[in-house]
Amino acid sequence: MNTIELDQSYVANTYARFPVEIVSGKGALVTDADGKEYIDLGTGIAVNTFGVADDEWVSAVTEQLGKLQHASNLYYTAPCARLAEQLCTRTGMKKVFFCNSGAEANECAIKVARKYGTERKGEDAYTILTLCNSFHGRTITTLSATGQDVFHQLFTPMTPGFVYAPANDLAAVKKIADEMPLAAIMFEVVQGEGGVNPLPPEFVAGIAKLAEEKDLLLIADEVQCGNGRTGMLYGYMNYGITPDVVTTAKGIGGGLPIGVTMLGERVKDIFAPGDNGSTFGGNPVACAGALNILSRLDDKMLDGVKKRSQMIIDGLKDVPGVKSVTGMGLMLGIETEKPAGDVIAACREMGVLVIKAKNKVRLLPPLNIPEELLARAIEVIKSACV
Ligand SMILES: Cc1ncc(COP(=O)(O)O)c(C=O)c1O
């Protein structure tokens, strides 16, 4: 059997995969099993921050791999401690919990909120308000946090303790906050899986003010929109707010599994030994890779993200078949006249990999994609939209 047949026979049927076997790549180019080359505008869903087999990242990872691949959290290791220090220095957050995925990072944030609510306001104050159309992960609790019914069906009962409000309805958020004791408000500043929709600035400012008035934690889920993707180091930085908890994963690892829950001033000491843990959390190899990624997300790189973003937006302006482009930085969604799936398939045929978010074509290119490759990819997308 070939890879596709083996996979279909033996891998659990949870993914609707594209009919392509990726075998290798370099930077923004990936190659399939037939030797066909593609410009990759999906980066493994916002993971391969600087593309595939990026030289600097590979060196950082392999150097650490040759020294120590794992030690457990019974011991101190330098990459873990240094990454925590760098994340805090770059964001102003105070402490960091490491795990292995976005869902786990959000699970940790939910634990933080529940402990905070209980300690500050009593054991009824455990509910977290999340937004309709959000996506926070696939564990039962993060699915429950996800404000989309479609993900809840078949897996009930969901974890209690979540309420949902429409993403741009401050009055609805306030009403809920008046009616019941809340612990936190959790949101993505750019809803990724929900269709690449940035939250309106007035709404974000409104929930931040409400959180302050009502002593609620502000939890920014930066799993997808973090790590330079929006043109700022973290997406919330576009909005001038200071969350109490920031979760991230995906792009910070550059291709290895890592999840991070950053704790701000109000919750920096919330945890005591035993409150949370993870066998692989803070793994030296993943942290060495992440340190390399983070060190390169400087102002010059972020300006490059904004420039490339504008190239895409300008390139798709007034193009037949394109209804709108939403998003921020290099996290963009194209609303097309044709079904998104047809556009994605046509792009693939023409050697460009893009992915879907709801009814949109989603672009998440490497942050340093060479401009010539991006320009070529834009031409392909344009012709696929017609
Ligand atoms: C905003 C957001 N939060 C959480 C997750 C879950 O991350 P993971 O798949 O690493 O568990 C995702 C994944 O797409 C995401 O986009």
Side-chain angles (χ1 to χ4, degrees), residues 291-332:
L291 266 168
N292 176 265
I293 300 285
L294 189 60
S295 72
R296 294 158 67 192
L297 293 174
D298 55 13
D299 287 346
K300 190 161 169 248
M301 184 66 72
L302 298 174
D303 285 346
V305 170
K306 291 179 194 136
K307 184 174 178 212
R308 288 165 176 79
S309 175
Q310 203 56 49
M311 262 178 82
I312 299 173
I313 292 166
D314 292 345
L316 296 178
K317 207 165 157 201
D318 302 326
V319 163
V322 173
K323 288 202 217 162
S324 69
V325 179
T326 60
M328 244 190 236
L330 289 176
M331 179 174 180
L332 296 171

mmCIF file of all heavy atoms in Angstrom, residues 291-332:
data_model
loop_
_atom_site.group_PDB
_atom_site.id
_atom_site.type_symbol
_atom_site.label_atom_id
_atom_site.label_comp_id
_atom_site.label_asym_id
_atom_site.label_seq_id
_atom_site.Cartn_x
_atom_site.Cartn_y
_atom_site.Cartn_z
ATOM 1 N N LEU A 291 12.923 29.334 21.205
ATOM 2 C CA LEU A 291 13.817 30.472 21.495
ATOM 3 C C LEU A 291 14.343 31.076 20.205
ATOM 4 O O LEU A 291 14.450 32.294 20.068
ATOM 5 C CB LEU A 291 15.014 29.983 22.324
ATOM 6 C CG LEU A 291 14.885 30.110 23.836
ATOM 7 C CD1 LEU A 291 15.988 29.323 24.531
ATOM 8 C CD2 LEU A 291 14.924 31.583 24.267
ATOM 9 N N ASN A 292 14.673 30.199 19.263
ATOM 10 C CA ASN A 292 15.169 30.698 17.980
ATOM 11 C C ASN A 292 14.077 31.496 17.260
ATOM 12 O O ASN A 292 14.328 32.596 16.752
ATOM 13 C CB ASN A 292 15.666 29.532 17.110
ATOM 14 C CG ASN A 292 16.079 30.026 15.745
ATOM 15 O OD1 ASN A 292 15.295 29.990 14.806
ATOM 16 N ND2 ASN A 292 17.285 30.564 15.659
ATOM 17 N N ILE A 293 12.872 30.946 17.234
ATOM 18 C CA ILE A 293 11.762 31.638 16.550
ATOM 19 C C ILE A 293 11.528 33.009 17.197
ATOM 20 O O ILE A 293 11.490 34.039 16.514
ATOM 21 C CB ILE A 293 10.457 30.796 16.624
ATOM 22 C CG1 ILE A 293 10.615 29.427 15.964
ATOM 23 C CG2 ILE A 293 9.256 31.573 16.077
ATOM 24 C CD1 ILE A 293 10.630 29.396 14.487
ATOM 25 N N LEU A 294 11.402 33.004 18.520
ATOM 26 C CA LEU A 294 11.084 34.250 19.226
ATOM 27 C C LEU A 294 12.165 35.305 19.010
ATOM 28 O O LEU A 294 11.860 36.486 18.799
ATOM 29 C CB LEU A 294 10.914 33.936 20.722
ATOM 30 C CG LEU A 294 10.367 35.049 21.602
ATOM 31 C CD1 LEU A 294 8.976 35.491 21.145
ATOM 32 C CD2 LEU A 294 10.290 34.586 23.064
ATOM 33 N N SER A 295 13.425 34.877 19.017
ATOM 34 C CA SER A 295 14.519 35.846 18.881
ATOM 35 C C SER A 295 14.487 36.533 17.507
ATOM 36 O O SER A 295 15.009 37.625 17.343
ATOM 37 C CB SER A 295 15.869 35.156 19.079
ATOM 38 O OG SER A 295 16.144 34.335 17.959
ATOM 39 N N ARG A 296 13.867 35.887 16.531
ATOM 40 C CA ARG A 296 13.847 36.456 15.178
ATOM 41 C C ARG A 296 12.582 37.272 14.892
ATOM 42 O O ARG A 296 12.469 37.903 13.839
ATOM 43 C CB ARG A 296 14.005 35.328 14.156
ATOM 44 C CG ARG A 296 15.401 34.700 14.275
ATOM 45 C CD ARG A 296 15.440 33.308 13.710
ATOM 46 N NE ARG A 296 15.245 33.281 12.275
ATOM 47 C CZ ARG A 296 15.018 32.151 11.591
ATOM 48 N NH1 ARG A 296 14.936 30.987 12.214
ATOM 49 N NH2 ARG A 296 14.859 32.202 10.294
ATOM 50 N N LEU A 297 11.639 37.244 15.819
ATOM 51 C CA LEU A 297 10.408 38.027 15.628
ATOM 52 C C LEU A 297 10.654 39.460 16.127
ATOM 53 O O LEU A 297 10.067 39.923 17.095
ATOM 54 C CB LEU A 297 9.237 37.372 16.374
ATOM 55 C CG LEU A 297 8.796 36.015 15.826
ATOM 56 C CD1 LEU A 297 7.733 35.386 16.710
ATOM 57 C CD2 LEU A 297 8.279 36.145 14.391
ATOM 58 N N ASP A 298 11.574 40.143 15.437
ATOM 59 C CA ASP A 298 11.912 41.515 15.835
ATOM 60 C C ASP A 298 11.136 42.510 14.960
ATOM 61 O O ASP A 298 10.348 42.125 14.092
ATOM 62 C CB ASP A 298 13.437 41.734 15.732
ATOM 63 C CG ASP A 298 13.952 41.406 14.335
ATOM 64 O OD1 ASP A 298 13.137 41.252 13.392
ATOM 65 O OD2 ASP A 298 15.183 41.298 14.173
ATOM 66 N N ASP A 299 11.391 43.797 15.192
ATOM 67 C CA ASP A 299 10.620 44.824 14.478
ATOM 68 C C ASP A 299 10.755 44.697 12.962
ATOM 69 O O ASP A 299 9.801 44.907 12.211
ATOM 70 C CB ASP A 299 11.070 46.224 14.915
ATOM 71 C CG ASP A 299 10.578 46.538 16.320
ATOM 72 O OD1 ASP A 299 9.693 45.799 16.806
ATOM 73 O OD2 ASP A 299 11.093 47.500 16.921
ATOM 74 N N LYS A 300 11.966 44.352 12.529
ATOM 75 C CA LYS A 300 12.188 44.249 11.078
ATOM 76 C C LYS A 300 11.325 43.111 10.495
ATOM 77 O O LYS A 300 10.671 43.282 9.457
ATOM 78 C CB LYS A 300 13.682 43.975 10.837
ATOM 79 C CG LYS A 300 14.099 44.067 9.416
ATOM 80 C CD LYS A 300 15.610 44.255 9.281
ATOM 81 C CE LYS A 300 16.005 44.068 7.845
ATOM 82 N NZ LYS A 300 16.801 42.871 7.618
ATOM 83 N N MET A 301 11.325 41.987 11.198
ATOM 84 C CA MET A 301 10.509 40.856 10.736
ATOM 85 C C MET A 301 9.028 41.241 10.729
ATOM 86 O O MET A 301 8.293 40.942 9.779
ATOM 87 C CB MET A 301 10.747 39.652 11.654
ATOM 88 C CG MET A 301 10.040 38.393 11.236
ATOM 89 S SD MET A 301 10.614 37.695 9.672
ATOM 90 C CE MET A 301 12.218 37.049 10.142
ATOM 91 N N LEU A 302 8.588 41.925 11.789
ATOM 92 C CA LEU A 302 7.167 42.280 11.896
ATOM 93 C C LEU A 302 6.784 43.310 10.825
ATOM 94 O O LEU A 302 5.687 43.238 10.252
ATOM 95 C CB LEU A 302 6.845 42.781 13.308
ATOM 96 C CG LEU A 302 7.074 41.727 14.423
ATOM 97 C CD1 LEU A 302 6.868 42.336 15.801
ATOM 98 C CD2 LEU A 302 6.164 40.517 14.247
ATOM 99 N N ASP A 303 7.708 44.226 10.503
ATOM 100 C CA ASP A 303 7.440 45.158 9.398
ATOM 101 C C ASP A 303 7.300 44.385 8.087
ATOM 102 O O ASP A 303 6.475 44.721 7.233
ATOM 103 C CB ASP A 303 8.586 46.174 9.259
ATOM 104 C CG ASP A 303 8.525 47.225 10.362
ATOM 105 O OD1 ASP A 303 7.476 47.308 11.037
ATOM 106 O OD2 ASP A 303 9.526 47.944 10.557
ATOM 107 N N GLY A 304 8.118 43.357 7.941
ATOM 108 C CA GLY A 304 8.038 42.513 6.742
ATOM 109 C C GLY A 304 6.686 41.807 6.645
ATOM 110 O O GLY A 304 6.146 41.617 5.551
ATOM 111 N N VAL A 305 6.151 41.414 7.786
ATOM 112 C CA VAL A 305 4.826 40.770 7.803
ATOM 113 C C VAL A 305 3.780 41.773 7.295
ATOM 114 O O VAL A 305 2.943 41.446 6.440
ATOM 115 C CB VAL A 305 4.475 40.284 9.236
ATOM 116 C CG1 VAL A 305 3.019 39.848 9.329
ATOM 117 C CG2 VAL A 305 5.407 39.153 9.658
ATOM 118 N N LYS A 306 3.870 42.998 7.806
ATOM 119 C CA LYS A 306 2.880 44.027 7.401
ATOM 120 C C LYS A 306 3.002 44.315 5.905
ATOM 121 O O LYS A 306 2.001 44.473 5.203
ATOM 122 C CB LYS A 306 3.098 45.309 8.214
ATOM 123 C CG LYS A 306 2.723 45.128 9.682
ATOM 124 C CD LYS A 306 2.974 46.408 10.466
ATOM 125 C CE LYS A 306 2.946 46.140 11.968
ATOM 126 N NZ LYS A 306 4.002 46.788 12.723
ATOM 127 N N LYS A 307 4.254 44.379 5.433
ATOM 128 C CA LYS A 307 4.469 44.677 4.009
ATOM 129 C C LYS A 307 3.873 43.557 3.132
ATOM 130 O O LYS A 307 3.165 43.820 2.147
ATOM 131 C CB LYS A 307 5.976 44.801 3.768
ATOM 132 C CG LYS A 307 6.328 45.199 2.368
ATOM 133 C CD LYS A 307 7.808 45.445 2.217
ATOM 134 C CE LYS A 307 8.121 45.798 0.770
ATOM 135 N NZ LYS A 307 9.431 45.349 0.351
ATOM 136 N N ARG A 308 4.148 42.324 3.512
ATOM 137 C CA ARG A 308 3.633 41.196 2.724
ATOM 138 C C ARG A 308 2.107 41.139 2.790
ATOM 139 O O ARG A 308 1.436 40.790 1.814
ATOM 140 C CB ARG A 308 4.251 39.890 3.227
ATOM 141 C CG ARG A 308 5.726 39.748 2.856
ATOM 142 C CD ARG A 308 6.390 38.638 3.673
ATOM 143 N NE ARG A 308 7.770 38.402 3.277
ATOM 144 C CZ ARG A 308 8.806 39.147 3.637
ATOM 145 N NH1 ARG A 308 8.625 40.209 4.413
ATOM 146 N NH2 ARG A 308 10.028 38.842 3.233
ATOM 147 N N SER A 309 1.563 41.488 3.951
ATOM 148 C CA SER A 309 0.113 41.517 4.113
ATOM 149 C C SER A 309 -0.501 42.502 3.112
ATOM 150 O O SER A 309 -1.479 42.192 2.410
ATOM 151 C CB SER A 309 -0.209 41.946 5.546
ATOM 152 O OG SER A 309 -1.580 42.089 5.727
ATOM 153 N N GLN A 310 0.115 43.682 3.046
ATOM 154 C CA GLN A 310 -0.390 44.711 2.136
ATOM 155 C C GLN A 310 -0.283 44.260 0.680
ATOM 156 O O GLN A 310 -1.162 44.538 -0.140
ATOM 157 C CB GLN A 310 0.395 46.016 2.371
ATOM 158 C CG GLN A 310 -0.352 47.261 1.933
ATOM 159 C CD GLN A 310 -1.735 47.399 2.586
ATOM 160 O OE1 GLN A 310 -1.881 47.279 3.784
ATOM 161 N NE2 GLN A 310 -2.761 47.613 1.759
ATOM 162 N N MET A 311 0.801 43.533 0.379
ATOM 163 C CA MET A 311 0.957 42.993 -0.989
ATOM 164 C C MET A 311 -0.234 42.115 -1.359
ATOM 165 O O MET A 311 -0.764 42.187 -2.473
ATOM 166 C CB MET A 311 2.199 42.075 -1.049
ATOM 167 C CG MET A 311 3.446 42.687 -1.572
ATOM 168 S SD MET A 311 4.792 41.445 -1.499
ATOM 169 C CE MET A 311 4.482 40.493 -2.990
ATOM 170 N N ILE A 312 -0.640 41.271 -0.400
ATOM 171 C CA ILE A 312 -1.763 40.356 -0.671
ATOM 172 C C ILE A 312 -3.062 41.157 -0.811
ATOM 173 O O ILE A 312 -3.831 40.967 -1.758
ATOM 174 C CB ILE A 312 -1.898 39.298 0.457
ATOM 175 C CG1 ILE A 312 -0.626 38.455 0.558
ATOM 176 C CG2 ILE A 312 -3.114 38.397 0.192
ATOM 177 C CD1 ILE A 312 -0.583 37.496 1.753
ATOM 178 N N ILE A 313 -3.275 42.074 0.140
ATOM 179 C CA ILE A 313 -4.526 42.852 0.124
ATOM 180 C C ILE A 313 -4.618 43.669 -1.181
ATOM 181 O O ILE A 313 -5.649 43.651 -1.865
ATOM 182 C CB ILE A 313 -4.610 43.754 1.375
ATOM 183 C CG1 ILE A 313 -4.782 42.864 2.614
ATOM 184 C CG2 ILE A 313 -5.744 44.767 1.273
ATOM 185 C CD1 ILE A 313 -4.547 43.552 3.939
ATOM 186 N N ASP A 314 -3.511 44.341 -1.544
ATOM 187 C CA ASP A 314 -3.510 45.126 -2.791
ATOM 188 C C ASP A 314 -3.682 44.208 -4.001
ATOM 189 O O ASP A 314 -4.414 44.530 -4.942
ATOM 190 C CB ASP A 314 -2.192 45.902 -2.946
ATOM 191 C CG ASP A 314 -2.081 47.008 -1.902
ATOM 192 O OD1 ASP A 314 -3.110 47.342 -1.275
ATOM 193 O OD2 ASP A 314 -0.954 47.522 -1.702
ATOM 194 N N GLY A 315 -3.005 43.068 -3.957
ATOM 195 C CA GLY A 315 -3.048 42.143 -5.099
ATOM 196 C C GLY A 315 -4.438 41.578 -5.344
ATOM 197 O O GLY A 315 -4.776 41.230 -6.469
ATOM 198 N N LEU A 316 -5.237 41.473 -4.281
ATOM 199 C CA LEU A 316 -6.562 40.855 -4.442
ATOM 200 C C LEU A 316 -7.691 41.892 -4.508
ATOM 201 O O LEU A 316 -8.865 41.525 -4.583
ATOM 202 C CB LEU A 316 -6.815 39.869 -3.292
ATOM 203 C CG LEU A 316 -5.869 38.663 -3.248
ATOM 204 C CD1 LEU A 316 -6.177 37.777 -2.047
ATOM 205 C CD2 LEU A 316 -5.952 37.839 -4.539
ATOM 206 N N LYS A 317 -7.291 43.167 -4.512
ATOM 207 C CA LYS A 317 -8.300 44.239 -4.544
ATOM 208 C C LYS A 317 -8.963 44.296 -5.921
ATOM 209 O O LYS A 317 -8.266 44.232 -6.945
ATOM 210 C CB LYS A 317 -7.589 45.566 -4.259
ATOM 211 C CG LYS A 317 -8.479 46.582 -3.643
ATOM 212 C CD LYS A 317 -7.661 47.703 -3.068
ATOM 213 C CE LYS A 317 -8.515 48.933 -2.980
ATOM 214 N NZ LYS A 317 -7.705 50.119 -2.916
ATOM 215 N N ASP A 318 -10.261 44.405 -5.926
ATOM 216 C CA ASP A 318 -11.037 44.519 -7.175
ATOM 217 C C ASP A 318 -10.757 43.386 -8.159
ATOM 218 O O ASP A 318 -10.823 43.574 -9.372
ATOM 219 C CB ASP A 318 -10.755 45.873 -7.858
ATOM 220 C CG ASP A 318 -11.089 47.041 -6.957
ATOM 221 O OD1 ASP A 318 -12.061 46.910 -6.182
ATOM 222 O OD2 ASP A 318 -10.370 48.056 -6.997
ATOM 223 N N VAL A 319 -10.416 42.246 -7.638
ATOM 224 C CA VAL A 319 -10.154 41.098 -8.521
ATOM 225 C C VAL A 319 -11.475 40.343 -8.739
ATOM 226 O O VAL A 319 -12.211 40.096 -7.772
ATOM 227 C CB VAL A 319 -9.091 40.173 -7.870
ATOM 228 C CG1 VAL A 319 -9.072 38.803 -8.507
ATOM 229 C CG2 VAL A 319 -7.714 40.832 -7.953
ATOM 230 N N PRO A 320 -11.805 40.012 -9.985
ATOM 231 C CA PRO A 320 -13.047 39.270 -10.227
ATOM 232 C C PRO A 320 -13.060 37.964 -9.425
ATOM 233 O O PRO A 320 -12.056 37.274 -9.366
ATOM 234 C CB PRO A 320 -13.008 38.973 -11.733
ATOM 235 C CG PRO A 320 -11.993 39.914 -12.300
ATOM 236 C CD PRO A 320 -11.046 40.282 -11.203
ATOM 237 N N GLY A 321 -14.190 37.701 -8.800
ATOM 238 C CA GLY A 321 -14.319 36.459 -8.029
ATOM 239 C C GLY A 321 -13.947 36.616 -6.567
ATOM 240 O O GLY A 321 -14.215 35.731 -5.763
ATOM 241 N N VAL A 322 -13.328 37.753 -6.208
ATOM 242 C CA VAL A 322 -12.975 37.997 -4.796
ATOM 243 C C VAL A 322 -13.971 38.990 -4.199
ATOM 244 O O VAL A 322 -14.097 40.111 -4.677
ATOM 245 C CB VAL A 322 -11.537 38.565 -4.668
ATOM 246 C CG1 VAL A 322 -11.238 38.979 -3.231
ATOM 247 C CG2 VAL A 322 -10.519 37.544 -5.156
ATOM 248 N N LYS A 323 -14.700 38.545 -3.174
ATOM 249 C CA LYS A 323 -15.699 39.443 -2.575
ATOM 250 C C LYS A 323 -15.079 40.326 -1.505
ATOM 251 O O LYS A 323 -15.401 41.501 -1.384
ATOM 252 C CB LYS A 323 -16.821 38.609 -1.940
ATOM 253 C CG LYS A 323 -17.739 37.948 -2.947
ATOM 254 C CD LYS A 323 -19.056 37.654 -2.235
ATOM 255 C CE LYS A 323 -19.637 36.351 -2.700
ATOM 256 N NZ LYS A 323 -20.631 35.781 -1.820
ATOM 257 N N SER A 324 -14.199 39.750 -0.683
ATOM 258 C CA SER A 324 -13.573 40.549 0.380
ATOM 259 C C SER A 324 -12.344 39.826 0.906
ATOM 260 O O SER A 324 -12.179 38.624 0.690
ATOM 261 C CB SER A 324 -14.551 40.774 1.541
ATOM 262 O OG SER A 324 -14.772 39.546 2.210
ATOM 263 N N VAL A 325 -11.482 40.589 1.563
ATOM 264 C CA VAL A 325 -10.341 39.993 2.255
ATOM 265 C C VAL A 325 -10.407 40.480 3.700
ATOM 266 O O VAL A 325 -10.500 41.680 3.962
ATOM 267 C CB VAL A 325 -8.995 40.415 1.618
ATOM 268 C CG1 VAL A 325 -7.817 39.799 2.376
ATOM 269 C CG2 VAL A 325 -8.939 40.001 0.142
ATOM 270 N N THR A 326 -10.419 39.528 4.641
ATOM 271 C CA THR A 326 -10.467 39.890 6.064
ATOM 272 C C THR A 326 -9.192 39.404 6.739
ATOM 273 O O THR A 326 -8.433 38.623 6.171
ATOM 274 C CB THR A 326 -11.666 39.225 6.766
ATOM 275 O OG1 THR A 326 -11.525 37.804 6.643
ATOM 276 C CG2 THR A 326 -12.981 39.666 6.179
ATOM 277 N N GLY A 327 -8.990 39.874 7.971
ATOM 278 C CA GLY A 327 -7.851 39.380 8.751
ATOM 279 C C GLY A 327 -6.838 40.467 9.022
ATOM 280 O O GLY A 327 -7.104 41.655 8.849
ATOM 281 N N MET A 328 -5.673 40.043 9.435
ATOM 282 C CA MET A 328 -4.616 40.977 9.835
ATOM 283 C C MET A 328 -3.272 40.339 9.537
ATOM 284 O O MET A 328 -3.122 39.115 9.718
ATOM 285 C CB MET A 328 -4.688 41.143 11.355
ATOM 286 C CG MET A 328 -5.032 42.513 11.825
ATOM 287 S SD MET A 328 -4.779 42.534 13.607
ATOM 288 C CE MET A 328 -6.360 43.050 14.104
ATOM 289 N N GLY A 329 -2.314 41.148 9.121
ATOM 290 C CA GLY A 329 -0.968 40.621 8.888
ATOM 291 C C GLY A 329 -0.996 39.465 7.907
ATOM 292 O O GLY A 329 -1.646 39.528 6.854
ATOM 293 N N LEU A 330 -0.324 38.391 8.250
ATOM 294 C CA LEU A 330 -0.309 37.217 7.366
ATOM 295 C C LEU A 330 -1.257 36.133 7.888
ATOM 296 O O LEU A 330 -0.955 34.943 7.885
ATOM 297 C CB LEU A 330 1.118 36.702 7.188
ATOM 298 C CG LEU A 330 1.979 37.654 6.331
ATOM 299 C CD1 LEU A 330 3.412 37.179 6.248
ATOM 300 C CD2 LEU A 330 1.386 37.850 4.928
ATOM 301 N N MET A 331 -2.405 36.601 8.333
ATOM 302 C CA MET A 331 -3.514 35.721 8.725
ATOM 303 C C MET A 331 -4.737 36.308 8.029
ATOM 304 O O MET A 331 -5.403 37.196 8.563
ATOM 305 C CB MET A 331 -3.668 35.751 10.247
ATOM 306 C CG MET A 331 -4.786 34.904 10.777
ATOM 307 S SD MET A 331 -4.721 34.895 12.590
ATOM 308 C CE MET A 331 -6.128 33.834 12.919
ATOM 309 N N LEU A 332 -4.975 35.868 6.796
ATOM 310 C CA LEU A 332 -5.984 36.511 5.963
ATOM 311 C C LEU A 332 -7.008 35.502 5.461
ATOM 312 O O LEU A 332 -6.685 34.328 5.246
ATOM 313 C CB LEU A 332 -5.309 37.213 4.774
ATOM 314 C CG LEU A 332 -4.370 38.380 5.143
ATOM 315 C CD1 LEU A 332 -3.596 38.856 3.917
ATOM 316 C CD2 LEU A 332 -5.145 39.549 5.753
#
